[in-house]
């Protein structure tokens, strides 16, 4: 295949991890930078959007009637500075692959979300965050530079601190195709985590504990029972930790302190009956999960996959919601807006949303990305079956409350936000639109998300 040949395109249906609203697109998997440029050049009137491993929950990496560029074929690790702690890699490299390669060298990715099956390009495009935002910020804070294929066919070296970098970090692939990135890493002594766990009786108890002591931990996250009501509203299991030092390991584990082992369970069945996750079944699960958690336990050693990515051990876990799929709703409200968070949690509990995956985290200072999601405050994420009666109208009401509190919804997980609320949530939206119009006047890069929200 010559350098200027467009790779073969196949029509197929594309959806987000939530498995809602699939749309048909031409699927293209380039294997070189030249093939990527050719695919962009020949993408047609409906444009193109880069896609990684498909872990965006909504429609950010879909493009109805246009081209979707599967960037996982560009997956080379070009250089590792084991002394300085940086890696230069293709955008299609997954965080899982980086962990496999870097952990034996004593380095870890600076930020990881709840799955390690995210590409570096996707991590930048969504400016992902993890359990350590209150300490380390989001992913793009640790990107020193990147190479970006823009709509005019040029490959630009984009340095952090420039407008194009800030538009690309969190820009959901709409400024161009990220080809490579240089990322600063986190030093570690072992592949184990030292973890403290405690139960919180209600939401106020949880927030008080996190506010008082989160600064002692690099990582912090709370699972919340959103079906609990009354005095137990917002009861939670709070899990916090840090990378275990070598001297914390038992003698046997010190033989291979940096070994990266990933347990794997059987995949979820391809077809599961609708209604499996009912209010009754989720209520029972939540009760058992809360009761089995220790009231207080310190210093437990856990492997990295157990602490960061428990669901990765079950391939295709998103199937458990049935054919109708699910909506992941995540919002943030700032410090001083805790009453808005309390109201929303009470409303979710009163609505009886059957969510067994609901987590609360604290965000630190905002990052520079114009559409980057985190702002200092509290973020709550929950999964809800898409077929829940009245769900759309209920989430619309929550959007209004979030916007009124000066908060925002996470675009990487969104599939249904109304465009009129976007400007209130993202103050740099006009800057983003202006730069995108100048950089890409023909709309070469577009997606279902960008059309829905007029990005």
């Amino acid at each position: 295949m010559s350098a200027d040949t467009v790779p073969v395109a196949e029509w197929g249906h594309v959806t987000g991890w939530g498995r809602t609203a699939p749309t048909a697109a031409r699927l293209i998997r380039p294997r070189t930078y030249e093939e990527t440029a050719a695919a962009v050049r020949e993408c047609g009137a409906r444009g193109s959007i880069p896609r990684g491993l498909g872990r965006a929950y909504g429609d950010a990496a879909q493009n109805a009637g246009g081209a979707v560029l599967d960037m996982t074929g560009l997956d080379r690790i070009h250089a590792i500075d084991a002394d300085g702690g940086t890696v230069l890699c293709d955008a299609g490299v997954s965080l899982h692959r980086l962990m496999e390669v870097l952990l034996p060298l004593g380095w870890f990715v600076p930020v990881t979300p709840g799955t390690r099956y995210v590409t570096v390009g996707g991590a930048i495009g969504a400016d992902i965050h993890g359990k350590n935002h209150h300490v380390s910020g989001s992913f793009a804070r640790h990107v020193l530079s990147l190479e970006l294929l823009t709509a005019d066919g040029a490959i630009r070296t984009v340095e952090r601190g420039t407008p194009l970098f800030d538009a690309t970090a969190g820009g959901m692939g709409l400024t161009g195709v990220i080809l490579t990135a240089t990322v600063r890493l986190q030093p570690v002594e072992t592949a184990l985590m030292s973890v403290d766990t405690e139960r919180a009786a209600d939401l106020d108890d949880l927030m008080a504990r996190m506010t008082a002591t989160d600064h002692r931990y690099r990582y912090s996250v709370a699972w919340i029972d959103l079906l609990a009501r009354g005095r137990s509203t917002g009861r939670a299991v709070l899990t916090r930790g840090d990378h275990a030092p070598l001297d914390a390991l038992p003698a046997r584990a010190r033989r291979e302190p940096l070994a990266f082992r990933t347990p794997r369970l059987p995949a979820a069945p391809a077809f599961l009956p609708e209604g499996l996750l009912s209010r009754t079944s989720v209520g029972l699960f939540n009760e058992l999960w809360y009761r089995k958690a220790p009231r207080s336990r310190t210093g437990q050693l856990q492997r990295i996959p157990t602490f960061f990515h428990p669901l990765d051990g079950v391939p295709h876990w998103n199937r458990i919601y049935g054919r109708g799929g699910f909506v992941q709703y995540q919002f943030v409200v700032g410090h001083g807006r805790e009453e808005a968070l309390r109201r929303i949690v009470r409303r979710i509990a009163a609505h009886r949303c059957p969510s067994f995956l609901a987590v609360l985290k604290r965000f630190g200072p905002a990052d520079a990305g114009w559409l980057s999601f985190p702002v200092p405050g509290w973020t709550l994420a929950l999964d809800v079956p898409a077929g829940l009666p009245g769900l759309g109208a209920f989430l619309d009401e929550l959007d209004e409350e979030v916007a009124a509190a000066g908060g925002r919804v996470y675009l990487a997980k969104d599939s249904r936000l109304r465009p009129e609320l976007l400007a209130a949530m993202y103050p740099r939206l006009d800057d983003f639109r202006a730069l995108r119009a100048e950089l890409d006047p023909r709309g070469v890069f577009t997606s279902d998300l960008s059309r829905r929200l007029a990005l």
Side-chain angles (χ1 to χ4, degrees):
M1 182 178 290
S2 69
D4 293 326
T5 301
V6 180
V8 175
E10 297 181 357
W11 280 92
H13 284 89
V14 182
T15 186
W17 192 245
R19 304 177 74 206
T20 60
T23 54
R26 290 184 298 114
L27 308 178
I28 304 172
R29 191 170 190 261
R31 294 185 176 275
T32 66
Y33 307 147
E34 293 80 10
E35 288 183 13
T36 307
V40 169
R41 187 168 56 248
E42 303 297 330
C43 67
R46 294 289 287 182
S48 62
I49 193 70
R51 180 182 176 93
L53 287 166
R55 289 314 197 268
Y57 284 78
D59 55 4
Q62 299 175 215
N63 183 22
V68 171
L69 309 180
D70 177 350
M71 297 303 295
T72 58
L74 276 74
D75 59 355
R76 292 169 295 174
I77 297 176
H78 295 281
I80 299 171
D81 181 352
D83 295 323
T86 61
V87 60
L88 168 62
C89 63
D90 283 344
V93 174
S94 70
L95 300 191
H96 173 84
R97 179 61 180 152
L98 287 182
M99 291 177 197
E100 286 183 322
V101 172
L102 296 171
L103 267 170
L105 303 176
W107 297 99
F108 189 61
V109 294
V111 172
T112 178
T115 175
R116 60 186 178 276
Y117 296 111
V118 175
T119 63
V120 169
I124 299 169
D127 200 13
I128 60 170
H129 57 271
K131 299 175 176 68
N132 60 338
H133 191 277
H134 63 292
V135 173
S136 302
S138 51
F139 193 88
R141 185 181 298 185
H142 307 272
V143 175
L144 303 179
S145 65
L146 56 89
E147 288 184 306
L148 186 72
L149 171 65
T150 50
D152 57 5
I155 296 178
R156 309 181 186 213
T157 298
V158 184
E159 303 288 345
R160 63 175 297 104
T162 62
L164 184 52
F165 187 98
D166 292 343
T168 301
M172 307 311 299
L174 296 171
T175 61
V177 182
I178 299 170
L179 298 175
T180 69
T182 301
V183 182
R184 185 175 58 240
L185 305 170
Q186 169 69 35
V188 295
E189 294 182 16
T190 75
L192 292 172
M193 306 297 297
S194 177
V195 181
D196 295 353
T197 305
E198 58 192 286
R199 289 198 320 219
D202 56 33
L203 183 60
D204 284 342
D205 181 28
L206 173 64
M207 290 194 293
R209 291 171 187 251
M210 296 176 77
T211 299
T213 55
D214 259 6
H215 65 277
R216 302 176 188 170
Y217 299 89
R218 180 174 295 274
Y219 303 99
S220 173
V221 64
W223 168 88
I224 294 187
D225 181 0
L226 288 178
L227 284 174
R229 291 183 290 182
R231 290 185 299 178
S232 297
T233 299
R235 67 178 180 177
V237 178
L238 176 57
T239 305
R240 298 182 286 189
D242 208 334
H243 298 279
L246 185 61
D247 59 13
L249 271 57
R252 185 176 180 180
R254 294 185 196 181
R255 298 172 189 169
E256 294 181 292
L258 292 166
F260 182 51
R261 298 186 176 92
T262 56
R264 196 170 181 86
L265 300 174
F271 299 102
L272 287 168
E274 298 296 325
L276 183 66
L277 297 180
S278 65
R279 292 182 174 99
T280 300
S281 62
V282 173
L284 178 60
F285 172 87
N286 287 2
E287 182 70 29
L288 293 173
W289 191 260
Y290 181 77
R291 295 294 177 188
K292 85 174 187 65
R295 292 185 180 276
S296 180
R297 180 177 61 199
T298 61
Q300 182 191 29
L301 294 178
Q302 293 183 3
R303 296 197 176 278
I304 280 172
T306 302
F307 181 75
F308 288 106
H309 317 118
L311 286 174
D312 281 349
V314 183
H316 305 293
W317 64 264
N318 56 341
R319 294 174 180 169
I320 65 176
Y321 292 87
R323 293 183 180 181
F326 68 99
V327 173
Q328 179 157 113
Y329 184 70
Q330 183 168 5
F331 67 90
V332 59
V333 292
H335 292 305
R337 300 287 187 162
E338 284 78 8
E339 188 52 43
L341 176 62
R342 294 184 185 98
R343 284 196 305 269
I344 291 172
V345 169
R346 288 195 296 265
R347 291 186 65 177
I348 294 170
H351 198 76
R352 309 299 287 155
C353 290
S355 178
F356 74 96
L357 290 175
V359 295
L360 183 75
K361 297 191 290 284
R362 291 177 72 239
F363 281 158
D367 294 286
W370 293 346
L371 297 186
S372 184
F373 169 65
V375 295
W378 302 90
T379 180
L380 177 66
L382 59 146
D383 290 353
V384 186
L388 188 70
L391 179 63
F394 177 65
L395 293 182
D396 284 347
E397 293 173 3
L398 295 191
D399 290 341
E400 297 277 0
E401 185 141 11
V402 168
R408 57 184 58 165
V409 168
Y410 192 15
L411 297 183
K413 297 182 177 180
D414 176 57
S415 58
R416 24 114 352 246
L417 181 68
R418 303 196 313 276
E420 58 267 26
L421 293 178
L422 196 63
M425 294 182 173
Y426 289 90
R428 300 297 300 271
L429 178 62
D430 286 344
D431 293 329
F432 179 82
R433 284 171 170 162
L435 184 144
R436 185 167 175 245
E438 178 182 350
L439 194 66
D440 184 9
R442 296 183 296 114
V444 170
F445 297 108
T446 189
S447 65
D448 291 354
L449 174 79
S450 71
R451 279 188 286 265
R452 175 169 56 84
L453 295 178
L455 288 172

